[in-house]
Protein backbone atom coordinates (compact mmCIF):
# COMPACT_ATOMS: atom_id res chain seq x y z
CA UNK A 1 0.00 0.00 0.00
CA UNK A 2 1.43 3.40 -1.04
CA UNK A 3 1.72 6.49 1.11
CA UNK A 4 -1.25 8.17 -0.55
CA UNK A 5 -3.50 5.19 0.24
CA UNK A 6 -2.24 5.14 3.86
CA UNK A 7 -2.88 8.85 4.18
CA UNK A 8 -6.38 8.37 2.83
CA UNK A 9 -7.05 5.61 5.36
CA UNK A 10 -5.85 7.81 8.22
CA UNK A 11 -8.04 10.64 6.96
CA UNK A 12 -11.07 8.37 6.83
CA UNK A 13 -10.43 7.04 10.33
CA UNK A 14 -10.08 10.58 11.61
CA UNK A 15 -13.28 11.59 9.89
CA UNK A 16 -15.33 8.70 11.29
CA UNK A 17 -13.95 9.29 14.77
CA UNK A 18 -15.68 12.68 14.67
CA UNK A 19 -18.95 11.41 13.22
CA UNK A 20 -21.68 10.99 15.81
CA UNK A 21 -24.65 8.66 15.75
CA UNK A 22 -27.05 11.37 14.61
CA UNK A 23 -25.03 11.96 11.44
CA UNK A 24 -24.98 8.23 10.74
CA UNK A 25 -28.75 8.02 11.20
CA UNK A 26 -29.26 11.04 8.94
CA UNK A 27 -27.21 9.40 6.20
CA UNK A 28 -29.27 6.19 6.45
CA UNK A 29 -32.43 8.28 6.12
CA UNK A 30 -31.00 10.13 3.10
CA UNK A 31 -30.02 6.90 1.33
CA UNK A 32 -33.39 5.26 1.88
CA UNK A 33 -35.22 8.33 0.56
CA UNK A 34 -33.24 8.35 -2.71
CA UNK A 35 -34.87 7.87 -6.09
CA UNK A 36 -34.58 4.14 -6.77
CA UNK A 37 -33.86 4.44 -10.51
CA UNK A 38 -30.85 6.72 -10.10
CA UNK A 39 -27.76 5.12 -8.45
CA UNK A 40 -25.94 8.47 -8.61
CA UNK A 41 -28.36 9.77 -5.96
CA UNK A 42 -27.58 6.91 -3.57
CA UNK A 43 -23.88 7.76 -3.68
CA UNK A 44 -24.63 11.50 -3.71
CA UNK A 45 -22.56 11.98 -6.87
CA UNK A 46 -23.01 14.13 -9.99
CA UNK A 47 -23.82 12.41 -13.28
CA UNK A 48 -20.30 13.01 -14.63
CA UNK A 49 -18.61 11.21 -11.69
CA UNK A 50 -15.80 8.86 -12.76
CA UNK A 51 -15.52 5.17 -11.73
CA UNK A 52 -12.76 6.21 -9.33
CA UNK A 53 -15.11 8.79 -7.77
CA UNK A 54 -17.71 6.04 -7.38
CA UNK A 55 -15.28 3.75 -5.53
CA UNK A 56 -14.09 6.48 -3.16
CA UNK A 57 -17.59 7.71 -2.37
CA UNK A 58 -18.88 4.19 -1.81
CA UNK A 59 -16.04 3.45 0.61
CA UNK A 60 -16.75 6.61 2.56
CA UNK A 61 -20.55 6.21 2.76
CA UNK A 62 -20.54 2.43 3.33
CA UNK A 63 -18.29 2.88 6.38
CA UNK A 64 -20.61 5.60 7.61
CA UNK A 65 -23.73 3.39 7.55
CA UNK A 66 -22.11 -0.02 8.11
CA UNK A 67 -24.44 -2.11 10.34
CA UNK A 68 -21.55 -2.85 12.73
CA UNK A 69 -20.97 0.88 13.31
CA UNK A 70 -24.43 2.38 12.80
CA UNK A 71 -27.25 1.54 15.24
CA UNK A 72 -30.05 2.65 12.92
CA UNK A 73 -32.53 -0.28 12.46
CA UNK A 74 -32.37 0.13 8.66
CA UNK A 75 -28.59 0.52 8.40
CA UNK A 76 -28.28 -2.88 6.72
CA UNK A 77 -30.82 -1.87 4.05
CA UNK A 78 -28.98 1.42 3.39
CA UNK A 79 -25.64 -0.43 3.22
CA UNK A 80 -27.09 -2.83 0.64
CA UNK A 81 -28.49 0.05 -1.44
CA UNK A 82 -25.03 1.64 -1.61
CA UNK A 83 -23.45 -1.66 -2.69
CA UNK A 84 -26.06 -2.06 -5.45
CA UNK A 85 -25.49 1.52 -6.66
CA UNK A 86 -21.73 0.99 -6.85
CA UNK A 87 -22.22 -2.31 -8.71
CA UNK A 88 -24.41 -0.61 -11.33
CA UNK A 89 -22.07 2.34 -11.85
CA UNK A 90 -18.94 0.18 -12.17
CA UNK A 91 -20.60 -2.08 -14.75
CA UNK A 92 -19.88 -0.27 -18.04
CA UNK A 93 -22.99 -1.59 -19.80
CA UNK A 94 -25.30 -0.67 -16.92
CA UNK A 95 -23.59 2.70 -16.50
CA UNK A 96 -24.00 3.51 -20.21
CA UNK A 97 -27.69 2.56 -20.09
CA UNK A 98 -28.30 4.70 -16.98
CA UNK A 99 -26.44 7.69 -18.45
CA UNK A 100 -28.36 7.35 -21.73
CA UNK A 101 -31.63 7.47 -19.81
CA UNK A 102 -30.45 10.28 -17.57
CA UNK A 103 -29.15 12.39 -20.46
CA UNK A 104 -32.39 11.91 -22.38
CA UNK A 105 -34.33 12.92 -19.28
CA UNK A 106 -32.04 15.89 -18.69
CA UNK A 107 -32.56 17.04 -22.28
CA UNK A 108 -36.34 16.86 -21.94
CA UNK A 109 -36.13 18.39 -18.48
CA UNK A 110 -34.06 21.31 -19.73
CA UNK A 111 -36.56 22.05 -22.49
CA UNK A 112 -39.55 21.89 -20.15
CA UNK A 113 -37.87 24.05 -17.51
CA UNK A 114 -36.78 26.60 -20.11
CA UNK A 115 -40.32 26.80 -21.48
CA UNK A 116 -41.61 27.23 -17.95
CA UNK A 117 -39.04 29.97 -17.32
CA UNK A 118 -40.07 31.86 -20.47
CA UNK A 119 -43.67 31.88 -19.29
CA UNK A 120 -42.55 33.30 -15.95
CA UNK A 121 -40.48 36.01 -17.71
CA UNK A 122 -43.49 37.07 -19.78
CA UNK A 123 -45.38 37.74 -16.55
CA UNK A 124 -42.41 39.36 -14.83
CA UNK A 125 -41.54 42.49 -16.86
CA UNK A 126 -38.50 43.41 -14.75
CA UNK A 127 -36.95 39.98 -15.18
CA UNK A 128 -37.68 40.08 -18.90
CA UNK A 129 -35.93 43.44 -19.31
CA UNK A 130 -32.98 42.22 -17.23
CA UNK A 131 -32.78 39.12 -19.43
CA UNK A 132 -32.61 41.27 -22.56
CA UNK A 133 -30.01 43.58 -21.02
CA UNK A 134 -27.76 40.74 -19.95
CA UNK A 135 -28.05 39.18 -23.45
CA UNK A 136 -28.72 35.70 -22.25
CA UNK A 137 -26.43 35.79 -19.23
CA UNK A 138 -29.45 35.93 -16.96
CA UNK A 139 -30.68 32.59 -18.33
CA UNK A 140 -27.22 31.06 -18.07
CA UNK A 141 -26.92 32.15 -14.46
CA UNK A 142 -30.35 30.72 -13.70
CA UNK A 143 -29.39 27.35 -15.20
CA UNK A 144 -26.32 27.27 -12.97
CA UNK A 145 -28.35 28.10 -9.89
CA UNK A 146 -29.21 25.68 -7.06
CA UNK A 147 -32.91 26.26 -7.74
CA UNK A 148 -32.56 25.09 -11.35
CA UNK A 149 -30.46 22.09 -10.27
CA UNK A 150 -33.14 20.98 -7.78
CA UNK A 151 -35.90 21.39 -10.35
CA UNK A 152 -33.88 19.49 -12.93
CA UNK A 153 -33.29 16.58 -10.54
CA UNK A 154 -37.03 16.37 -9.89
CA UNK A 155 -37.78 16.55 -13.61
CA UNK A 156 -35.23 13.80 -14.32
CA UNK A 157 -36.89 11.64 -11.67
CA UNK A 158 -40.29 12.21 -13.26
CA UNK A 159 -39.11 11.34 -16.78
CA UNK A 160 -37.08 8.33 -15.64
CA UNK A 161 -40.15 7.02 -13.81
CA UNK A 162 -42.24 7.33 -16.99
CA UNK A 163 -39.54 5.60 -19.04
CA UNK A 164 -39.23 2.78 -16.52
CA UNK A 165 -43.01 2.33 -16.42
CA UNK A 166 -43.13 2.09 -20.23
CA UNK A 167 -40.22 -0.37 -20.18
CA UNK A 168 -41.96 -2.57 -17.62
CA UNK A 169 -45.25 -2.52 -19.53
CA UNK A 170 -43.39 -3.50 -22.70
CA UNK A 171 -41.59 -6.25 -20.78
CA UNK A 172 -44.93 -7.49 -19.44
CA UNK A 173 -46.42 -7.58 -22.94
CA UNK A 174 -43.38 -9.43 -24.27
CA UNK A 175 -43.65 -11.95 -21.41
CA UNK A 176 -47.37 -12.45 -22.10
CA UNK A 177 -46.69 -12.96 -25.82
CA UNK A 178 -43.86 -15.40 -25.06
CA UNK A 179 -46.19 -17.26 -22.70
CA UNK A 180 -48.89 -17.46 -25.36
CA UNK A 181 -46.43 -18.71 -28.00
CA UNK A 182 -45.05 -21.28 -25.57
CA UNK A 183 -48.57 -22.50 -24.78
CA UNK A 184 -49.41 -22.79 -28.51
CA UNK A 185 -46.16 -24.68 -29.09
CA UNK A 186 -46.90 -27.10 -26.24
CA UNK A 187 -50.45 -27.68 -27.51
CA UNK A 188 -49.13 -28.29 -31.04
CA UNK A 189 -46.54 -30.75 -29.70
CA UNK A 190 -49.22 -32.57 -27.70
CA UNK A 191 -51.49 -32.80 -30.76
CA UNK A 192 -48.70 -34.26 -32.93
CA UNK A 193 -47.77 -36.63 -30.12
CA UNK A 194 -51.34 -37.96 -29.91
CA UNK A 195 -51.51 -38.26 -33.69
CA UNK A 196 -48.21 -40.18 -33.79
CA UNK A 197 -49.34 -42.50 -30.99
CA UNK A 198 -52.58 -43.18 -32.85
CA UNK A 199 -50.69 -43.93 -36.07
CA UNK A 200 -48.29 -46.25 -34.22
CA UNK A 201 -51.20 -48.00 -32.54
CA UNK A 202 -52.98 -48.39 -35.89
CA UNK A 203 -49.82 -49.73 -37.53
CA UNK A 204 -49.28 -52.10 -34.59
CA UNK A 205 -52.66 -53.76 -35.13
CA UNK A 206 -52.21 -54.02 -38.91
CA UNK A 207 -51.15 -57.67 -38.93
CA UNK A 208 -54.06 -58.60 -36.69
CA UNK A 209 -56.51 -56.80 -38.95
CA UNK A 210 -55.08 -58.34 -42.11
CA UNK A 211 -55.15 -61.80 -40.53
CA UNK A 212 -58.77 -61.38 -39.43
CA UNK A 213 -59.76 -60.27 -42.93
CA UNK A 214 -57.99 -63.25 -44.51
CA UNK A 215 -59.74 -65.66 -42.15
CA UNK A 216 -63.07 -64.08 -43.00
CA UNK A 217 -62.45 -64.33 -46.75
CA UNK A 218 -61.35 -67.97 -46.48
CA UNK A 219 -64.30 -69.04 -44.38
CA UNK A 220 -67.07 -67.21 -46.25
CA UNK A 221 -70.26 -69.33 -45.83
CA UNK A 222 -68.32 -72.54 -45.43
CA UNK A 223 -68.83 -74.62 -42.35
CA UNK A 224 -66.04 -74.26 -39.92
CA UNK A 225 -64.20 -77.40 -39.05
CA UNK A 226 -66.00 -79.28 -36.26
CA UNK A 227 -69.38 -77.58 -36.88
CA UNK A 228 -72.51 -79.57 -38.00
CA UNK A 229 -75.12 -78.06 -40.29
CA UNK A 230 -78.77 -78.66 -39.42
CA UNK A 231 -80.62 -81.00 -41.83
CA UNK A 232 -82.65 -79.39 -44.65
CA UNK A 233 -86.41 -79.87 -44.50
CA UNK A 234 -87.83 -81.11 -47.81
CA UNK A 235 -91.05 -79.81 -49.36
CA UNK A 236 -93.29 -81.46 -51.89
CA UNK A 237 -92.76 -78.58 -54.24
CA UNK A 238 -89.07 -77.71 -54.47
CA UNK A 239 -90.01 -74.26 -55.82
CA UNK A 240 -91.90 -73.37 -52.66
CA UNK A 241 -90.03 -71.43 -50.04
CA UNK A 242 -92.06 -72.70 -47.10
CA UNK A 243 -91.52 -75.92 -45.22
CA UNK A 244 -94.28 -78.50 -45.56
CA UNK A 245 -95.65 -79.82 -42.35
CA UNK A 246 -95.56 -83.58 -41.87
CA UNK A 247 -98.80 -85.35 -42.95
CA UNK A 248 -100.47 -87.58 -40.40
CA UNK A 249 -101.15 -91.00 -41.74
CA UNK A 250 -104.27 -92.89 -40.36
Amino acid sequence: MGESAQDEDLLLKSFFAEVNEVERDNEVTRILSCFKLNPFEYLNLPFDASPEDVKKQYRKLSLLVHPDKCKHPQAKEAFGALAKAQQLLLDQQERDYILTQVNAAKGLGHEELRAKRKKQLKKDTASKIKSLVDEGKYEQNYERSEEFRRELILKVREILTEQEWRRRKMQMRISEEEGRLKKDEEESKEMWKRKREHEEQWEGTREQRVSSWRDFMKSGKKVKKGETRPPKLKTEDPNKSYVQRPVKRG
Side-chain angles (χ1 to χ4, degrees):
M1 185 182 290
E3 288 187 12
S4 60
Q6 289 178 345
D7 292 342
E8 188 179 329
D9 283 343
L10 289 172
L11 189 63
L12 275 173
K13 287 178 182 178
S14 175
F15 168 73
F16 288 116
E18 297 172 4
V19 172
N20 60 35
E21 201 61 38
V22 174
E23 288 173 306
R24 293 180 185 277
D25 289 350
N26 288 342
E27 185 58 22
V28 170
T29 303
R30 185 199 69 78
I31 292 168
L32 296 179
S33 64
C34 284
F35 180 55
K36 294 185 183 297
L37 300 177
N38 186 358
F40 287 99
E41 280 196 35
Y42 282 105
L43 293 172
N44 202 16
L45 286 170
F47 294 128
D48 58 354
S50 68
E52 194 59 36
D53 293 333
V54 170
K55 291 176 185 177
K56 286 181 180 179
Q57 185 73 344
Y58 168 73
R59 189 154 179 258
K60 177 181 175 181
L61 297 182
S62 62
L63 286 172
L64 189 62
V65 300
H66 196 286
D68 291 344
K69 299 180 181 296
C70 181
K71 296 178 182 179
H72 193 288
Q74 291 180 290
K76 186 177 180 181
E77 188 179 343
F79 183 77
L82 290 177
K84 180 66 175 176
Q86 180 190 228
Q87 180 186 355
L88 289 172
L89 294 179
L90 292 182
D91 183 312
Q92 191 60 48
Q93 189 174 352
E94 289 288 345
R95 182 188 178 87
D96 289 345
Y97 170 77
I98 292 164
L99 286 175
T100 300
Q101 300 299 312
V102 166
N103 290 331
K106 281 176 72 177
L108 291 170
H110 262 104
E111 293 303 317
E112 289 188 25
L113 291 176
R114 280 173 182 166
K116 179 182 173 183
R117 187 65 176 172
K118 284 180 180 179
K119 286 182 181 179
Q120 289 175 344
L121 289 174
K122 284 180 181 179
K123 295 178 183 178
D124 188 348
T125 308
S127 295
K128 186 176 182 182
I129 293 170
K130 182 173 175 55
S131 177
L132 291 170
V133 171
D134 291 348
E135 297 179 352
K137 290 181 181 179
Y138 181 76
E139 286 300 306
Q140 291 174 11
N141 291 337
Y142 167 68
E143 290 184 11
R144 293 194 194 102
S145 68
E146 186 62 26
E147 179 190 352
F148 181 81
R149 192 184 72 82
R150 284 197 303 268
E151 288 189 12
L152 183 59
I153 287 173
L154 292 175
K155 182 54 66 175
V156 168
R157 285 184 180 187
E158 180 186 326
I159 295 170
L160 283 177
T161 301
E162 291 173 0
Q163 290 173 336
E164 178 65 14
W165 174 239
R166 284 196 294 269
R167 186 187 69 81
R168 290 188 185 185
K169 282 202 297 185
M170 181 61 69
Q171 212 170 33
M172 184 172 65
R173 287 174 187 167
I174 290 171
S175 296
E176 287 174 354
E177 182 64 16
E178 286 176 347
R180 187 186 67 77
L181 291 173
K182 187 177 180 182
K183 183 181 178 183
D184 290 347
E185 185 182 354
E186 288 174 353
E187 287 178 352
S188 178
K189 283 181 180 178
E190 185 63 27
M191 182 186 72
W192 284 107
K193 181 183 175 183
R194 289 198 299 267
K195 184 179 179 181
R196 188 168 59 253
E197 287 174 351
H198 176 72
E199 289 174 350
E200 288 173 356
Q201 186 179 7
W202 177 258
E203 187 63 26
T205 58
R206 182 175 179 278
E207 288 297 325
Q208 182 182 348
R209 286 182 283 108
V210 170
S211 179
S212 298
W213 176 251
R214 284 174 181 164
D215 290 345
F216 173 76
M217 293 301 292
K218 282 179 183 178
S219 62
K221 292 182 180 180
K222 292 180 181 179
V223 179
K224 292 182 180 179
K225 191 174 182 180
E227 287 186 353
T228 306
R229 284 187 176 182
K232 291 183 178 180
L233 297 176
K234 293 182 179 180
T235 62
E236 290 182 355
D237 186 351
N239 295 322
K240 292 181 180 179
S241 60
Y242 61 86
V243 177
Q244 184 178 6
R245 293 184 178 181
V247 179
K248 291 182 180 182
R249 299 179 186 270

